[in-house]
Structures are given as C-alpha cells and as structure tokens.
Amino acid sequence: MGVNPTVSVLIVIIGFALVIIVGSMVPPSSARIPKGRGRGSKWWGIGKIGEPNNLIVNSIRGGGIGGYSLDPPVQAVLRKKQQRVVKENRGVVQAIAKGASDAVVECKHQFRNRRWNCPTKSFWNGKNIFGKIVEKGCRETSFIYALTSAAVTHAVVRACSEGSIESCTCDYRLHNKYSRSMTPDQNWKWGSCSDNIEFGYKFTRDFVDAGEKARDMRGTMNLHNNEAGRLHVQTLMRRHCKCHGMSGSCTMKTCWMRLPHFREVGNSLKDRFDGASRVLMSNAGSLRDIGRGGRSRYKFQLKPYNPDHKPPSKKDLVFFEDSPNFCMRDQRYGVSGTVGRACNVSSMGVDGCDLMCCGRGYTVTVKQVVERCKCTFEWCCNVQCKNCTVTRTMYMCK
Amino acid sequence: MAMDYMTDEDVDYYGDYEDDDMLVEEGDATYMSITDIFKQCLEPTLTEAFGQVAWMLCACLALRLLNHHLNVGQRVDHILSVCLGLVALVSVVGGNAIFTIVPAVMGYFMVSTCAKSSGILHSQIATIVLVCYLVVREYVGILPESWEQVRGIQMIIVMKILSLCFDMGIGYQTTLPSFDQYLGYIFCPANLIFGPWIPFDVYCRLFEGQTQTIWWVLPAFGAAVCSFLSLGVSSCLLYWVFLGTQSRWLLTFRDAMAVRFSHYFISYLSELSCLLTGIANDSVITVTEPWRIEMPRSLVDVVVCWNKPMHRWLRVYIFRPSIKWGTFQAVLWTFAVSSMLHGLNFGLTSVLLSLGLYTYVEHTLREKLATIFNACIRSRKCPANCSHTFKSDNFTVFMINVIFGLLAIFNLAYLGVMISKSHIDTDVPPTVLESINDDLKKWKDLNFLSHVVMLCIYLASLVI
C-alpha cells in the first residue's frame, strides 16, 4: 500500500509514547476506589425494563437476520460487545431478562432477614438496579455479581433446552467434552441436550464478563465472582441415570442432566457469601502482566487477606473492602438503614432485634389483625373459614 | 465497628465448602412442569437410548436383508449372523464385549461333550459348571460396572448353551451343530444382547428361506412404540406423575413401577430385534404381557408373564429334567439355578426367594378357598369348562380376585423396590457388604411389611 514507512514508524512511536503517558497517569490501582463501576453491569437493568418480554419479543420478531436490531432500551444498557453476542444468539435477550429478574427475586429472598436486604431501584434513575453498593468491592457486591452471572447461566441453559435460542441446538453426537466439570465416566456414552450447560457457560462468559478487565483489583474480583456463579450452576447440574437390561442388569444406561432449581443455586451462593474470602488488594499488581482475552484472562490466583487462610477456591466469593454496616442511612452507598425494619425478638441471629437494630432498640406494637381461621373443607369443593381476631406483636427497629 | 458477619473471623470456613456440594436430596424436583420433563428428560433419554441401540437394530435388519436377498448358502448366513452380532454387541457394550467371547467359544466344547453321550447327566453337570461360572464372575476378576453391563448377555449365552446340551441329551437334537452354526446361534444379533432366549431350531429355521410379506413391519413398529413408550414412562413420566409425593409407600410403588417399565422396555426391544431379524413366531418371541403384570390376577401369573421365554426355558430344561427327584426338590433346584443365573446377587436372590415363598403361600390359600367356596378363585384362571359352581363372571368371585390382585400389586411394589437402583451417580462403587446393607435398608424402611403380611396369610391358610 502507499503508506510512507517513516510515517508508519512515527505513528508507532507516538502510539507507544501515548501508552506510556496514559499508563503513568493512571494511579496505582491499590490506591484507587474505582469510579463509575457498573459499566459492565448495566445489563442488570434488562430485567426491569417496563414490560420487558413484550418489548423484546416485538423487537426480535420485527427484524430479519440481517436487519435484526435491539430495542433502544435494551441497547442502552448493553456494551458494544454485549450487543454483539446478543445479536449473534437470537432469542437470548429474553433469557437474560429472565435471569436478571430471577437474580433480583433470589437476592431479596436470600437477604430478607439481614440488615442489607438487597434493595433495588427502578433502573432508569441510577447506574444499575442494585444501587451504589456495587461501587464498593465488598461482600454484598461479590454476591450480586455471582448471583447475576449464575442467573443468566441458569436462564440461558433453560432457554437452550426449550429451544428458544436459535444458535444453541442440541448436539446429539455422543461426546465426553465436559468431563472437566462433570464426573468423568468413560464407560457410558451420553450426550444430547444435556450439554446445554456448556453453551450457557460460554455465553455467560462472553456476555456477563464483557465489561470486566482483570487489570485492576475490582475487575479481578468481578471476574472471579462471575466465574464462581457460573461454576455453581454447573456443579449443581445433576446427572440422573437409569439402568436397563435383562433382569436388572445394566446393559444400557440412559442419563439426563437436570438443571437445578434456581433456589438451590441461590442457597449455595448464600453459603459462600457467609464464608466469602477477603483477598489482598495487592493482588491487582501481580495481575497486570497476565495476558488478556481468551481463557488466560481467568488464570489468576488471589491471595487471602489473612495469610493463615487457604487461598480462595474457584467457587468461593471474594471481596477486598469492608462492607458498610448498613445501620444508618448512607447516601454514598445508597443504604437506607434499618430504621423501621421488622425484627425477630427471639432470634439471636442477624434477623434478631439486637443485630438488626444495631443496638438502637426497637418499638413494640400490638395490633389486632383479622385472619381467616378454623377452615373446614366441605364436600365438595368448598372451604369454609371463620374470621378470627388475632393479636400480633410487631417489633420494629427505632 | 462491631458489625459482625456471624461467621467471620473465627471459623475457617474455606475447608467446609470444598466438597459438600455434591450431596443432594432426592425428591427436590417439585417444580418441574411437563414441558421441563419433556425437554430435559424425555427427549434426551429417548434419543440417547435410540442412539445406543440403533446399531443393534440395524444389524438385525441387515441380517434379514442379506439373508433374503443374497441367497448365499447357510454357512455364510451363520458367519454373517456372528459378524453382525459382534457389531451389535460392540456398539452397545463397547470393549466389554470381550468378556462374552471366551464363554461362548468354550461352550462349544461342552455342547460337543453332551453330544457324545446320551442321557442328561452331562447336561446337568454343564448346568452346574456354567451357573457356577456366572456366580464366580459376579464377584471375581471383573469390574462391577463392566459385569453389570454384560451380565444379562452372559445369562442369555449360558441359557443357549444349556438348551443345546439338553436338546442333544434328550435326543431332540440329533446331530452336533457345526461350529459356525453354533456360533451363529449364540451371537445372533436378534437376541444376543437383550434376549429373549429362543430354541436352536427356531434359529435354524430363520435361514430356511421362507417367503415373507412386508407385513412384518406392522408388529415391528408396534413393538418399537411399546418399547420406547415404556422407556419414557420408566425414566421420566412416572417421576412427573409422582412429583412432590412424600408418602413412602407411594414412592416405593413408583420405584417398583419404574423397574417394571424398564423391563417392558427391554422386553419389547428384544421383540423388536427378533421381528427385524425375521423371527416372527409369536409364541417364541412374546416376552412379556404388561397388562397381566400391572393388573395381576395373582403373583403366579406375574411370575409366568414376567419373561415368558425364560420361564419356558426354566420349565423345559431345569424343572422337567429334575422332576424325578421329587417336586419339591425340583422346585428348589429350579429356584437355585434361576438365582445363580442372576449371579446370586443379594437383591435379586432375595426377591426370587420371596417370590417363591409368596407364590407358594398364595397358591395353597387360594386352592383351599376355591375348594371350600367352590369358586373360580385359584391362582391361575379356571378353564371355561371347570367344575366350580361360581364362575369368574360372578360378582363376588370377581371381587375376591380383585382383592388378591391388589395384594399382588402391593407385594410387587415391595419386591420391585429391591431391584431399583439409585438415580444419582456415585463415584465410589460400594463393597459387597455395603451393598447388601443398602439393599436390606430398602425393605427395613418399609418394616418388612409385605413379608409380615404374607406370613400372617400363611398362618391363616394353615388354620383353614
């Protein structure tokens, strides 16, 4: 081509210089609380867009393969790469939306009795639906990332087996590719739709991790937690097998993979939340040299904050900052505090009034409530109930 | 701040979460819908099962087509049968096929020994040698899962060898079959893998070139539908029907029913393979009659209908030759051979033993009642011209038979649960003692109720 070699050399030199200058201007990551986090996690909002499914269905039905375009509200929350992978896999948007809203429901369920009860806001007035708490690299954030990643994996796998994602077809060839995460079992052939988990896993890696870079601590943390979420779904897949043969022998065996209920995944992640590992900020420095892209992006080993602890495993949740105490209203993190929250007076746990109210004490209200009671079943098919007035004692944090 | 995550500093939680996530509770499937079952279970299960047997069915069809259109002489036919049989075998069990070849070849020496002498002494000895071989193999020198895979196949091979031995001892078969004829019989793809046992002469007639119309396709199609329908019921639909069931007895019933339908699947599959090969003799290849097992008249009926060719084999080659020792001894011997054929495996043996006792109790009681009330309530259906006053069309007689049928259903659920295998893969195979314990626990959980009930019935029948 007709480009002058000197010009190209010059461009290269200028490019290098720019990289060096910009690199030196970026403060050391350990001293930086990343601003504007959630660029890669805005997609959470998909779950909250108006009547999301209708909108999305319409937008998908509207276009052919060439003219396939995303709905503007969907487009607004997705990064370029995310838009690309979504376009490549038609029908996947509904699954992501389902995953996002599943994640919100599950998060609220798992944390219903804690000081931080997973508050969400409507998506348009903030950066993301989980609020500012995700700007901090704390335990709750680690859970949110893992849970949302798990939810998308779960929803995509399900959509795959229902056949609503075009690019994910059941591969009926027999193969044993996935012995990595499943029990390797060479004697028995199996395959078929069971392998959708691989698609879900890969897709979620492309989609959810699109906005994360392993260059700073926070990005590493997100990548690790996203991966942990996916792994939880993968390991909770159950293989159900059945033997067939003459007189109870096992000449042939048929197996199928059962996707766990998302509640199981939530429970499992909540366990990890309770035992999440705090890791060292200095981890970030050592990660810089590790190549980007592809699988190597995930090859890092985080060092635990407490040197006596084992390093976190792939399925552990990791964080590196203290959580706020969630007791009082705090605008910085979008925490509304526990004032006015109901608590359980007889519990010693996190839902007990001592911990929930942060020592501020609680108010006792006695209410007369009318309830249906003494219900009897009348043949057939009527249920007759009486109205009883019950005295309920409510405890609320001051 | 004393904001405490309860578990934070003191507990070393890392170790706790490593391996415990492989544990799972059965019966947590309460959320599955019929579409879930269809997409997640039915579709993969059926496709996978079909993928596993497709080669076998092709081999059967190939044998039929080559046999009818190639007309190459019987010798080549037998060699074809062996080759296609081996193809089918390898396609289903893979490398484990090797375990079946040695006994099959060795069997020829047994058959030729039997051919040299008249009388059934040699055959009886062959029986003992072969069933002992099966029992030894069950426990020695072969991985349990490999053995599980080839056990049924070995059983069929042993049955074929013994039937040849006896046929020659009795004089039904006069000449020793040639080696290729013998191997063709043993490795015939139609019944090598899933049975059913067929007599040698039925196999030979396969190559006598009778003309056939295309209508064999219809029963074959029927068998295929029944077969895969049973598989669907056994693997998926039953679990959907009994979703969220907590009652132990209903779960027992479900598991036993799954075992039975898995058996129907195999039975119809073997019928299909016979039809594809060209063995169309109904009395030979009708393996099972599900409706007579699901709605039984008596346990005796169930035993007879469970696997008809097997039943016939036991009657002709084990029971009849030994009847001269006395009926009770013959029954005992038949039972022993049957359970040794199944490898003297604890679960199966205890089921067979219980079945033997149950049928005896049921038989005596109903025989007595039939005499007392002069009614058609015996274990087997009365012939139309029987001498009883109250025939089967009498309402009370009908109700009594239904009650006995319900008793049989209850017993079947109890016995069947012993054979049902756990549904979740475990990595470590249990030791012999552990598996006996596991098996016994299944009945213990049900308080041995069926055994107790049958004991009571037996005592009652003594009093009558």
Side-chain angles (χ1 to χ4, degrees):
Chain A
M1 298 288 277
V3 180
N4 193 326
T6 18
V7 174
S8 48
V9 168
L10 215 67
I11 291 172
V12 169
I13 291 172
I14 292 171
F16 262 109
L18 267 176
V19 166
I20 291 165
I21 292 165
V22 170
S24 62
M25 279 162 70
V26 173
S29 51
S30 57
R32 177 178 72 155
I33 291 180
K35 283 280 184 304
R37 263 297 147 193
R39 286 170 305 144
S41 45
K42 269 188 174 180
W43 63 267
W44 292 338
I46 289 185
K48 285 261 174 177
I49 300 175
E51 281 291 318
N53 291 342
N54 294 339
L55 274 176
I56 292 160
V57 167
N58 290 341
S59 74
I60 283 169
R61 285 199 185 133
I65 291 176
Y68 171 56
S69 63
L70 294 169
D71 227 28
V74 174
Q75 204 156 12
V77 291
L78 297 185
R79 296 170 68 86
K80 279 265 152 43
K81 191 187 174 194
Q82 289 175 331
Q83 289 181 17
R84 186 167 55 76
V85 292
V86 164
K87 279 181 185 168
E88 279 167 7
N89 300 285
R90 298 189 58 186
V92 86
V93 192
Q94 289 96 323
I96 298 169
K98 168 100 175 33
S101 57
D102 280 356
V104 171
V105 171
E106 187 60 26
C107 180
K108 285 187 186 300
H109 170 82
Q110 293 291 346
F111 285 85
R112 66 198 179 283
N113 289 329
R114 298 186 73 111
R115 284 184 195 166
W116 180 73
N117 58 353
C118 202
T120 49
K121 7 174 159 178
S122 77
F123 133 84
W124 287 113
N125 59 12
K127 272 192 161 55
N128 68 66
I129 52 170
F130 288 103
K132 288 185 194 155
I133 185 70
V134 294
E135 286 174 14
K136 212 166 162 55
C138 62
R139 220 181 254 262
E140 283 72 17
T141 309
S142 73
F143 183 80
I144 290 172
Y145 273 83
L147 188 72
T148 45
S149 162
V152 171
T153 314
H154 190 269
V156 168
V157 173
R158 163 153 299 194
C160 258
S161 57
E162 283 165 3
S164 43
I165 300 176
E166 285 182 16
S167 51
C168 163
T169 48
C170 290
D171 187 355
Y172 287 118
R173 277 170 303 154
L174 302 169
H175 46 149
N176 260 344
K177 274 196 290 193
Y178 311 121
S179 46
R180 172 167 50 84
S181 52
M182 317 289 177
T183 346
D185 192 348
Q186 301 301 325
N187 272 335
W188 305 105
K189 306 165 191 165
W190 59 283
S192 75
C193 275
S194 313
D195 299 339
N196 291 327
I197 180 70
E198 184 74 358
F199 178 86
Y201 181 88
K202 280 190 181 142
F203 174 83
T204 319
R205 254 195 177 176
D206 284 345
F207 179 82
V208 176
D209 291 1
E212 309 298 344
K213 296 202 170 57
R215 275 190 234 126
D216 59 22
M217 189 51 220
R218 184 55 204 279
T220 313
M221 169 184 154
N222 291 350
L223 282 176
H224 182 101
N225 292 327
N226 286 345
E227 182 76 2
R230 287 188 289 268
L231 286 177
H232 275 259
V233 178
Q234 205 177 35
T235 47
L236 281 171
M237 292 283 290
R238 290 276 167 261
R239 188 145 76 101
H240 284 244
C241 288
K242 212 163 162 44
C243 281
H244 309 278
M246 281 265 301
S247 315
S249 66
C250 202
T251 310
M252 62 186 283
K253 196 165 164 183
T254 52
C255 299
W256 57 291
M257 300 296 296
R258 212 187 85 204
L259 192 64
H261 194 308
F262 193 58
R263 179 56 40 83
E264 277 178 67
V265 180
N267 290 341
S268 170
L269 282 172
K270 176 67 179 355
D271 281 350
R272 300 282 171 162
F273 170 87
D274 292 330
S277 317
R278 182 170 183 160
V279 292
L280 283 172
M281 287 282 277
S282 62
N283 280 319
S286 62
L287 293 167
R288 275 215 182 138
D289 311 327
I290 292 174
R292 277 166 278 143
R295 303 242 154 181
S296 59
R297 184 178 182 201
Y298 297 92
K299 277 185 187 151
F300 45 76
Q301 180 57 62
L302 296 165
K303 293 192 194 75
Y305 185 74
N306 182 341
D308 296 338
H309 286 165
K310 270 192 272 174
S313 77
K314 283 199 158 228
K315 285 167 73 185
D316 281 320
L317 302 187
V318 299
F319 64 101
F320 62 95
E321 282 181 288
D322 278 325
S323 299
N325 66 16
F326 301 111
C327 282
M328 300 307 290
R329 195 177 176 79
D330 190 340
Q331 283 297 332
R332 273 177 308 166
Y333 303 117
V335 173
S336 54
T338 62
V339 177
R341 287 276 302 275
C343 61
N344 181 350
V345 77
S346 57
S347 164
M348 297 299 289
V350 274
D351 60 332
C353 289
D354 279 350
L355 283 171
M356 180 69 85
C357 307
C358 309
R360 297 187 304 266
Y362 50 89
T363 55
V364 186
T365 20
V366 181
K367 265 189 193 166
Q368 303 281 328
V369 191
V370 179
E371 280 180 352
R372 280 152 69 87
C373 63
K374 287 179 189 163
C375 293
T376 48
F377 180 73
E378 281 183 10
W379 190 263
C380 181
C381 302
N382 226 348
V383 180
Q384 292 274 326
C385 291
K386 285 177 182 166
N387 284 337
C388 309
T389 316
V390 188
T391 319
R392 280 278 145 85
T393 320
M394 319 270 282
Y395 302 92
M396 264 195 261
C397 292
K398 279 182 184 165
Chain B
M1 273 301 284
M3 167 63 202
D4 7 51
Y5 282 104
M6 303 281 79
T7 49
D8 223 338
E9 294 305 323
D10 302 321
V11 195
D12 179 14
Y13 23 70
Y14 300 105
D16 300 344
Y17 295 94
E18 281 303 324
D19 307 306
D20 56 356
D21 43 34
M22 291 315 284
L23 298 170
V24 74
E25 289 288 313
E26 233 338 288
D28 49 355
T30 39
Y31 65 100
M32 293 197 100
S33 68
I34 186 73
T35 26
D36 280 354
I37 284 284
F38 183 81
K39 284 292 178 188
Q40 285 189 42
C41 182
L42 215 51
E43 199 177 304
T45 303
L46 295 190
T47 336
E48 196 190 353
F50 183 74
Q52 287 184 44
V53 297
W55 277 103
M56 185 196 88
L57 298 178
C58 286
C60 292
L61 201 59
L63 183 60
R64 177 197 199 96
L65 295 177
L66 291 174
N67 176 15
H68 279 281
H69 298 288
L70 225 57
N71 245 337
V72 277
Q74 296 216 350
R75 195 183 191 105
V76 183
D77 277 337
H78 293 307
I79 292 170
L80 268 178
S81 167
V82 177
C83 293
L84 290 171
L86 285 176
V87 166
L89 186 63
V90 171
S91 78
V92 174
V93 300
N96 289 333
I98 200 86
F99 297 114
T100 62
I101 289 168
V102 176
V105 175
M106 297 288 278
Y108 191 64
F109 295 102
M110 254 172 222
V111 175
S112 48
T113 323
C114 292
K116 279 175 195 139
S117 60
S118 61
I120 55 165
L121 182 67
H122 278 92
S123 311
Q124 300 279 30
I125 294 169
T127 312
I128 293 169
V129 170
L130 283 176
V131 294
C132 285
Y133 162 78
L134 285 181
V135 172
V136 169
R137 261 352 253 290
E138 173 94 16
Y139 296 105
V140 181
I142 177 169
L143 284 172
E145 65 255 34
S146 305
W147 177 249
E148 276 287 286
Q149 211 175 12
V150 295
R151 195 180 72 201
I153 301 168
Q154 303 246 25
M155 234 171 89
I156 287 289
I157 290 178
V158 164
M159 284 164 72
K160 285 176 177 172
I161 296 173
L162 289 179
S163 69
L164 259 182
C165 278
F166 276 101
D167 278 352
M168 270 175 309
I170 300 165
Y172 185 66
Q173 175 80 27
T174 42
T175 51
L176 175 72
S178 67
F179 191 57
D180 49 273
Q181 224 175 353
Y182 164 81
L183 277 188
Y185 173 52
I186 297 284
F187 283 107
C188 179
N191 65 350
L192 171 65
I193 297 157
F194 298 112
W197 167 79
I198 55 168
F200 183 65
D201 54 322
V202 171
Y203 167 74
C204 287
R205 250 177 279 142
L206 189 60
F207 301 116
E208 277 164 13
Q210 67 269 63
T211 49
Q212 277 177 344
T213 53
I214 192 69
W215 291 112
W216 63 270
V217 172
L218 278 185
F221 184 74
V225 169
C226 287
S227 162
F228 282 90
L229 210 61
S230 306
L231 176 64
V233 170
S234 164
S235 300
C236 309
L237 293 178
L238 271 179
Y239 294 91
W240 181 70
V241 170
F242 286 91
L243 263 187
T245 308
Q246 296 296 319
S247 149
R248 178 169 286 162
W249 274 101
L250 278 180
L251 289 178
T252 302
F253 182 75
R254 178 195 71 183
D255 290 347
M257 201 160 173
V259 169
R260 293 202 297 274
F261 272 88
S262 162
H263 170 72
Y264 305 149
F265 161 60
I266 292 298
S267 302
Y268 279 116
L269 189 64
S270 62
E271 227 169 89
L272 173 65
S273 62
C274 284
L275 286 167
L276 286 180
T277 317
I279 307 168
N281 186 339
D282 273 351
S283 66
V284 174
I285 61 162
T286 304
V287 181
T288 189
E289 289 178 32
W291 53 95
R292 282 177 71 182
I293 298 173
E294 293 306 314
M295 292 179 289
R297 178 186 170 91
S298 64
L299 279 176
V300 179
D301 247 19
V302 172
V303 171
V304 173
C305 296
W306 181 256
N307 189 331
K308 290 183 146 185
M310 175 100 173
H311 184 76
R312 195 177 316 119
W313 184 87
L314 282 171
R315 203 180 59 223
V316 174
Y317 298 111
I318 305 298
F319 182 74
R320 247 186 239 158
S322 56
I323 195 97
K324 57 177 184 280
W325 305 333
T327 315
F328 182 71
Q329 282 84 341
V331 169
L332 208 66
W333 173 238
T334 311
F335 160 73
V337 169
S338 166
S339 53
M340 280 167 89
L341 265 183
H342 290 95
L344 216 60
N345 151 315
F346 176 78
L348 280 170
T349 307
S350 48
V351 168
L352 287 172
L353 180 62
S354 308
L355 262 180
L357 296 173
Y358 285 13
T359 45
Y360 174 73
V361 170
E362 190 189 42
H363 175 76
T364 39
L365 176 71
R366 290 178 78 160
E367 203 69 28
K368 279 185 179 177
L369 289 178
T371 330
I372 292 170
F373 296 112
N374 203 358
C376 283
I377 48 175
R378 286 161 53 183
S379 295
R380 306 303 301 275
K381 208 171 180 177
C382 283
N385 56 348
C386 69
S387 58
H388 292 131
T389 324
F390 302 105
K391 298 275 191 312
S392 301
D393 48 10
N394 180 303
F395 181 71
T396 322
V397 169
F398 176 76
M399 281 320 288
I400 290 175
N401 283 329
V402 165
I403 289 168
F404 275 112
L406 290 176
L407 182 69
I409 288 176
F410 158 75
N411 283 327
L412 277 181
Y414 176 84
L415 294 175
V417 78
M418 181 59 102
I419 311 174
S420 78
K421 297 251 163 36
S422 123
H423 281 268
I424 290 163
D425 271 8
T426 46
D427 296 337
V428 195
T431 64
V432 175
L433 264 181
E434 272 170 9
S435 62
I436 289 182
N437 254 334
D438 284 353
D439 282 347
L440 257 187
K441 200 176 165 296
K442 293 176 191 162
W443 278 352
K444 210 176 188 174
D445 287 343
L446 301 169
N447 305 320
F448 295 102
L449 189 62
S450 155
H451 281 116
V452 174
V453 167
M454 288 315 272
L455 183 68
C456 295
I457 291 181
Y458 178 61
L459 294 178
S461 74
L462 284 185
V463 176
I464 292 174

